[in-house]
Amino acid sequence: LRTGEPEAVYAAGKTTGQLIDITTSLLAAHPDRPVLLTRISDEATAALRDNFDHVTADPLAAAATVGPPASPRNGEVAIACAGTSDLPVAAEAAFTTRAFGLTATMVTDVGVAGIHRVLASRPTLADADCVIVVAGMDGALPSVIGGLIDTPLIAVPTSVGYGSALGGMAPLLTMLNSCAPGVAVVNIDNGYGAAVCAARVVRARHRRVTPVAQATAGAISPPPR
Amino acid sequence: LRTGEPEAVYAAGKTTGQLIDITTSLLAAHPDRPVLLTRISDEATAALRDNFDHVTADPLAAAATVGPPASPRNGEVAIACAGTSDLPVAAEAAFTTRAFGLTATMVTDVGVAGIHRVLASRPTLADADCVIVVAGMDGALPSVIGGLIDTPLIAVPTSVGYGSALGGMAPLLTMLNSCAPGVAVVNIDNGYGAAVCAARVVRARHRRVTPVAQATAGAISPPPR
Amino acid sequence: LRTGEPEAVYAAGKTTGQLIDITTSLLAAHPDRPVLLTRISDEATAALRDNFDHVTADPLAAAATVGPPASPRNGEVAIACAGTSDLPVAAEAAFTTRAFGLTATMVTDVGVAGIHRVLASRPTLADADCVIVVAGMDGALPSVIGGLIDTPLIAVPTSVGYGSALGGMAPLLTMLNSCAPGVAVVNIDNGYGAAVCAARVVRARHRRVTPVAQATAGAISPPPR
Amino acid sequence: LRTGEPEAVYAAGKTTGQLIDITTSLLAAHPDRPVLLTRISDEATAALRDNFDHVTADPLAAAATVGPPASPRNGEVAIACAGTSDLPVAAEAAFTTRAFGLTATMVTDVGVAGIHRVLASRPTLADADCVIVVAGMDGALPSVIGGLIDTPLIAVPTSVGYGSALGGMAPLLTMLNSCAPGVAVVNIDNGYGAAVCAARVVRARHRRVTPVAQATAGAISPPPR
Amino acid sequence: LRTGEPEAVYAAGKTTGQLIDITTSLLAAHPDRPVLLTRISDEATAALRDNFDHVTADPLAAAATVGPPASPRNGEVAIACAGTSDLPVAAEAAFTTRAFGLTATMVTDVGVAGIHRVLASRPTLADADCVIVVAGMDGALPSVIGGLIDTPLIAVPTSVGYGSALGGMAPLLTMLNSCAPGVAVVNIDNGYGAAVCAARVVRARHRRVTPVAQATAGAISPPPR
Amino acid sequence: LRTGEPEAVYAAGKTTGQLIDITTSLLAAHPDRPVLLTRISDEATAALRDNFDHVTADPLAAAATVGPPASPRNGEVAIACAGTSDLPVAAEAAFTTRAFGLTATMVTDVGVAGIHRVLASRPTLADADCVIVVAGMDGALPSVIGGLIDTPLIAVPTSVGYGSALGGMAPLLTMLNSCAPGVAVVNIDNGYGAAVCAARVVRARHRRVTPVAQATAGAISPPPR
Amino acid sequence: LRTGEPEAVYAAGKTTGQLIDITTSLLAAHPDRPVLLTRISDEATAALRDNFDHVTADPLAAAATVGPPASPRNGEVAIACAGTSDLPVAAEAAFTTRAFGLTATMVTDVGVAGIHRVLASRPTLADADCVIVVAGMDGALPSVIGGLIDTPLIAVPTSVGYGSALGGMAPLLTMLNSCAPGVAVVNIDNGYGAAVCAARVVRARHRRVTPVAQATAGAISPPPR
Amino acid sequence: LRTGEPEAVYAAGKTTGQLIDITTSLLAAHPDRPVLLTRISDEATAALRDNFDHVTADPLAAAATVGPPASPRNGEVAIACAGTSDLPVAAEAAFTTRAFGLTATMVTDVGVAGIHRVLASRPTLADADCVIVVAGMDGALPSVIGGLIDTPLIAVPTSVGYGSALGGMAPLLTMLNSCAPGVAVVNIDNGYGAAVCAARVVRARHRRVTPVAQATAGAISPPPR
Ligand SMILES: Nc1ncnc2c1ncn2[C@@H]1O[C@H](COP(=O)(O)O)[C@@H](O)[C@H]1O
Ligand SMILES: Nc1ncnc2c1ncn2[C@@H]1O[C@H](COP(=O)(O)O)[C@@H](O)[C@H]1O
Ligand SMILES: Nc1ncnc2c1ncn2[C@@H]1O[C@H](COP(=O)(O)O)[C@@H](O)[C@H]1O
Ligand SMILES: Nc1ncnc2c1ncn2[C@@H]1O[C@H](COP(=O)(O)O)[C@@H](O)[C@H]1O
Ligand SMILES: [Mg+2]
Ligand SMILES: [Mg+2]
Ligand SMILES: [Mg+2]
Ligand SMILES: [Mg+2]
Ligand SMILES: [Mg+2]
Ligand SMILES: [Mg+2]
Ligand SMILES: [Mg+2]
Ligand SMILES: [Mg+2]
């Protein structure tokens, strides 16, 4: 892994003691980069604050970082979701994005049953380097957004819903069968994984194009819209 | 069942001989109404034409009627689908609708990944007495249309797709979890059932409102939009 | 959405504070219509009563409304279920129906294993504008009722049962495969969605038939039975 | 196994040569009892006729017996199903019942969506020693019949249907969750297994009650209805 | 239902108050027969004792009866299971059997991995009028016992197990696919339903054979073994 | 969609006549860009050659293009798979990639059970702008490759396998649960969708970084490795 | 892989030409060991015989080897199954076992519904180094055999059965939940994999015990690598 | 079962009183061998210590033994897993292995996304008599290790993960479809069963090779039965 990128700890099912131990040893091994803890309780976050100096946390995302922040980079990830229930997953994606030193822009309250708000969000989404779309229940939002923009789009199904939502399997299947081509999908509620995927996309941009662009800027004109 | 409404025969898995026999006896029992045959092959339809006088058929719908048409009624059903692959199911719904004496309006080529065509279809859909929305793969179309209109909306998932579409289970689950409230769902590929449901809706309108409206037209003003 | 129709809030998983905030802002935006809260706890309902003037609630339905009632309309929805265990879902459907200004008639204690009580309920069900049938376990009730009446019929599977009932998937599949044609289905335990669907059916009746009926009352005699 | 009861061969996937060999050796081992072949093609049945003397067959049931018939017994099994599509499974049950020397009574054309025909069949069903109910799609018929009679009732789901019928899993789940208590279920399309189960029930009757009845006929009056 | 047979109440999810009300009204309607309550907690059972005179209960079965016992009948049901974990389901079957006035014989500690104990239980099982076999995990016991006896055999899968036992779906599928023919299956953990099925089998024996036996005792010799 | 990018037609289930008609009208509407046909038979491809001038095709990929090629762009997609059986899906991804004007590099014969060949492929994979990993059966390859490189990685499960591979559901679930973070997944056998996703990633690179890099090259040094 | 052990080719879905090419190159690379082809058609086997000298084949197993046989080793694998339908899978296991130079002993016609034949097979099974148990439908046989012997036991579910056998998923789940501890399971119909597993077990025996049994180091030379 | 081998008790769902009773009677029946209790709580373990003399326990494994230890044997089982979350299952396997008198070697922190640590563990794993590989989420580790060693390999899926991990079904399916041949699988979280399977493998080695190694018959006495 490259310098400064966070080490990640999945805190669910670990005791506060275990989390402090793991964080301590990861910081010792890589003092230049943050430790990112996801699925962390408020109690465990409070314990982190008692034990370490640089703790940032978002209770909605159930996430925290300890240690030096990642160095900021030039890259913007837009994260869209329909409503309150999907917010924790969207917030996990945003918190992780920021822990990687990237800019995260939240676009909430866009649901397919209110299509005009989705259309109104198009400029923001089209402007990002990568878009993460979070949706539960019918999981239809990525299909609509995927038809509006040609940005890389990562879909995150959530476990929001009941009955035949099957704990998120329904929106997962919806997204895998999206009629908008080029939609890629991560596990149910996996805001963290979507953000790491987005960081891979942005990283590819930095690493590869800059030298090519310098040599061939005249040859490769930006593709017309 | 009321006079004139078709008797239905599910022709899949029946021999031509069986179909002719069943049709003959149904016509004898109810000479005033058509027999509707669904999932019928072109060969069986040809055999019907050899044996009966009044045969109408739609090969795309794989459906036929034999006997007197249903008396026309005042009622319009709009049927929307995204593309070529869903057309047979949409056509089964339309053929059945017409076999019940109602008007069927097809709105094809509306997919959620091309949202502007969906928006453009809104007036047609909003104007119908009942809307049937047919979709495979992600099954997202009813969620979008359900947010655009307040007409009764029946969603039909199709078996179009592959892999995790699971023979239509993916769009079925999508539709059952639609974030547009009031969407009702029938079985995979069941264009016939959706049309019968629509006929129930239109029938309710005729049977019940007319007398009420006559007595209370002043009291119950049409709700404002 | 039309004037007076309720805004709906799914209260499960939201804090009392969030519910009060959302209710306040919805009432501010649409002072002419009620806010409907479903899946709400008794505690949250009590908090609503502390904060708002016009609160109506049904603990069995786990539902409440805040604000001005919807203006009453001419429309009756019959809601049938077999027994005690399905009552909460049936009550959610009834409460929602009434929140839309319609009349809800409950027909309880009709189960397919006691077919004579089902037969006895036929006049009530046939008389309604729309029928909602709620059933868990085998989910067989809509198939029987669907064969008795030609009213629009919306089936609601419930999560009542155990083992191979699979949290309601068993009655859901039963209803989707009903041998009574024209049965439409909503998600497991979704009494709310069934009632919104019924409101769409009744609304279609009002909006469309009245003008037609005025012009053609002589031409379109009520269909014979 | 008791004398005279048939040996069973599941012919699906076996060559005609294999079937003749197996039948030959079973007849040699048990010359006093028939060999029952299920899921047999018309071609294989014709080959049996070429090779053996006493062949009886029912093409609808796809079943045949070779050798001496089972000695007739005092016992009647009623087999009910809704329609044409379920007939092959019902016929397999009937053929197997007869191969065990019992009487099989078919009650066809009874579907839950036409409840009055079901009610009309009650005396026939109540009069049998054991009832087998065959149903596909919604699989609702055993729940209704189970509430009408107190005879032992074996339910057989069929693979008739499409889409969410899931090859018979939908009616199987319906039957396992029947709200009529005391319904027992066999595998999808397993008319053979249902008939063997019925033969167990009838056999129990013969073997056990006779001596008891002789000693206690006065004491154990038939339970009142 | 016949005189004296218990009315059954599924107590899970009902309040103590509801249980007392339902029991009171059932006793009023049918003072000659017991009320059977299954899935009842120890607390609710204690409350029954406070409110009614004739309460019998089995905490292992989580079952109780209130009111006059069913009149004893001539009929024996054997109930087999492998071990401690399946005992509550077996006990529910036994308690229900006894509530119907029949004799219940428990055969515990017979598991397919200790085949000699299964073999040793054969005489007891073969001697019963009906056998109920309860098994979780692999659900293999009915296949072995079904090959040892020709008594009617009802298989009850249990939710005992973890992981791929899928809450009892694994033994349920095993039993539906038993290679011993004539095994019939009820829902997961449904000891009650198995006992009602057994009561149907025993009832059939009483009701039907006695008169026949009187007339034909010479003609119908008991089938040889 | 931007100029020159292919229009896609899913040829499965369409007649040759339909394919020629659709291709003709798409070429008329967008004469500057190719039409891409996937899941096309050799016969249909031959018919395309008879009717159009510029046809390129890959029988292994079951894909073809008609019309002017997409203008070449600066972007390389590496496509890895384990063996012969997965080649058609990998070839569909490669053909689609090239139809978008990008370079596709195939890395075949890398399976997790032969880990050293996977390790040997690392430089090629790390050098690409985007990596597509195709795997059936256990679907484990993306987890290994995802730990070796930090390139965007799109995983494609295939339907290769039998039994518990469940038509590709097994590797699909594997990939969604990859312990290498940042793996994104498309539908089973969807080589086309993976390539469109890769084209989105490469497009993002071109469109966005060039101007930013020019203005801020000093400020944003490429991240150290 | 060690000297002499076969290279395996899964022939299903490969053309005869591909099979000849792959076989040719594997023989060139490893002239000292056989190539094993599984799931091969009779036609492809005939083509192998036309092209290579040393071909052995078993049509029942749908398997063949080409090239020098594996050197015989000291090790015996017993393979048990219930009947005709499971024979192809058992034969694949036996053929593969022999292709590894080990002895394979078939024990057929042992089904759990005929427990005495299973008991009679105990000495043969207990005497083997490793036992493979093949079973479809209920998949109960490994649970019984696992309780009779303490030999390593590998269970192979088969796709034999219909309906709720779910293509072999039912016996697979049975075996994973075996109440005989220490049963290990391979994929549905995977006779090949079970035999490779058995070869690992036998190999472990040879390789490892030798050094411990220090007195016999000369007699049992470690197998070459 | 052979002398000295532990009797196993599955403690989950049993009361402390029941566990003490069962342990007492098992010790009385087999005073020469330990009782192994798995899935035991810390409280129940403390109660064991209060009641018995020789108690060993591992809280991480949730396992304990009471009574004389199994006599040590010559045999080593290596147990590999990726991380903290899988440790309880790995520990259950190790504790059980040791309770059988064998040596257990833990290899933790080997995950497929960090392939170099997996490669570094190869000598340890290759050196064992039997290898148990424990993995959740993608379950990919057995496929990689299975390609590195030719030791018997038992794969244990764990319920670690969320969403589409489906409680361990995802890694279970992965392992059943491993592209490394000869991988055998036990139930989700079944560390106990994997260890019993490993003990079968080691036992086979001891029991069988000895007679072949005729010179060492005295040194390695056959284990008593
Ligand atoms: N396409 C269809 N899909 C589902 N059900 C149908 C269809 N066409 C007819 N049916 C139903 O099948 C019944 C007739 O079935 P059958 O008696 O087998 O011909 C009709 O009463 C309809 O309820
Ligand atoms: N239609 C059927 N469905 C299920 N099992 C059957 C059927 N017919 C025969 N069998 C069973 O299959 C066994 C014979 O199988 P086989 O030895 O493969 O011919 C008989 O003993 C019966 O238990
Ligand atoms: N191999 C494929 N897999 C999945 N979707 C595809 C494939 N090829 C084309 N498509 C999609 O199918 C759409 C065209 O569908 P159709 O109009 O039915 O030809 C295209 O816009 C693509 O989004
Ligand atoms: N952790 C475990 N997972 C699966 N089976 C177990 C486990 N521990 C013990 N067993 C099995 O459970 C049996 C004892 O079950 P019981 O009689 O209910 O205590 C033992 O003989 C083992 O076969
Ligand atoms: Mg959404
Ligand atoms: Mg769609
Ligand atoms: Mg019901
Ligand atoms: Mg039915
Ligand atoms: Mg068992
Ligand atoms: Mg792979
Ligand atoms: Mg078996
Ligand atoms: Mg892993």
Side-chain angles (χ1 to χ4, degrees), chain F residues 112 135-136 138-141, chain H residues 179:
Chain F
V112 294
D138 57 23
L141 195 56
Chain H
C179 52

Side-chain angles (χ1 to χ4, degrees), chain F residues 8 67 90 125 137 144 154 209:
Chain F
L125 300 176
M137 295 175 67
V144 173
I154 303 156
V209 170

Side-chain angles (χ1 to χ4, degrees), chain A residues 179 181, chain B residues 85 162, chain F residues 8-10 14 38-39 92 190 192:
Chain A
C179 53
Chain B
S85 309
Y162 59 82
Chain F
V9 178
Y10 183 74
K14 301 204 172 83
T38 66
R39 313 286 167 104
E92 184 183 271
N190 193 2
Y192 163 78

Side-chain angles (χ1 to χ4, degrees), chain A:
Chain A
L1 286 173
R2 62 192 56 256
T3 304
E5 296 215 338
E7 301 279 336
V9 178
Y10 182 75
K14 301 206 172 82
T15 64
T16 299
Q18 287 177 312
L19 293 177
I20 290 171
D21 287 354
I22 294 172
T23 302
T24 301
S25 68
L26 285 175
L27 283 176
H30 306 281
D32 62 323
R33 68 180 72 168
V35 175
L36 167 66
L37 300 104
T38 63
R39 314 282 166 103
I40 192 167
S41 66
D42 291 352
E43 295 69 36
T45 301
L48 291 180
R49 293 198 198 279
D50 291 346
N51 282 271
F52 301 99
D53 278 348
H54 302 287
V55 176
T56 63
D58 177 358
L60 180 62
T65 54
V66 182
S71 39
R73 317 184 189 183
N74 195 359
E76 182 187 337
V77 178
I79 300 160
C81 73
T84 317
S85 307
D86 294 331
L87 275 182
V89 176
E92 184 183 272
F95 192 91
T96 302
T97 298
R98 290 174 187 134
F100 274 78
L102 302 168
T103 303
T105 307
M106 296 284 280
V107 181
T108 60
D109 210 20
V110 282
V112 294
I115 201 71
H116 293 290
R117 281 200 299 274
V118 179
L119 294 176
S121 74
R122 191 191 169 285
T124 304
L125 300 176
D127 208 48
D129 294 286
C130 188
V131 172
I132 293 172
V133 183
V134 178
M137 297 175 65
D138 58 23
L141 195 55
S143 292
V144 174
I145 293 180
L148 293 176
I149 61 173
D150 57 11
T151 318
L153 190 162
I154 303 157
V156 190
T158 73
S159 56
V160 169
Y162 59 87
S164 63
L166 297 177
M169 288 302 290
L172 171 61
L173 293 176
T174 307
M175 291 168 177
L176 288 166
N177 289 284
S178 175
C179 53
V183 169
V185 187
V186 298
N187 193 15
I188 298 162
D189 290 337
N190 193 5
Y192 164 77
V196 177
C197 186
R200 285 182 181 246
V201 168
V202 175
R203 187 190 295 133
R205 173 165 76 77
H206 280 278
R207 187 182 53 168
R208 307 243 340 145
V209 169
T210 316
V212 171
Q214 287 172 339
T216 66
I220 305 181
S221 58
R225 301 208 182 205

Side-chain angles (χ1 to χ4, degrees), chain C residues 143 177-179, chain D residues 81-82 86 110-113 134-142 171 175:
Chain C
S143 292
N177 289 283
S178 176
C179 53
Chain D
C81 73
D86 294 331
V110 282
V112 296
V134 178
M137 296 176 66
D138 57 22
L141 194 55
M175 292 169 178

Side-chain angles (χ1 to χ4, degrees), chain B residues 9 15 29 34 43 46 57 65 86 108 114 122-123 136 159 164 167 170 176 192 209:
Chain B
V9 178
T15 63
E43 292 70 35
T65 53
D86 294 331
T108 59
R122 190 191 172 286
S159 56
S164 62
L176 287 166
Y192 164 78
V209 169

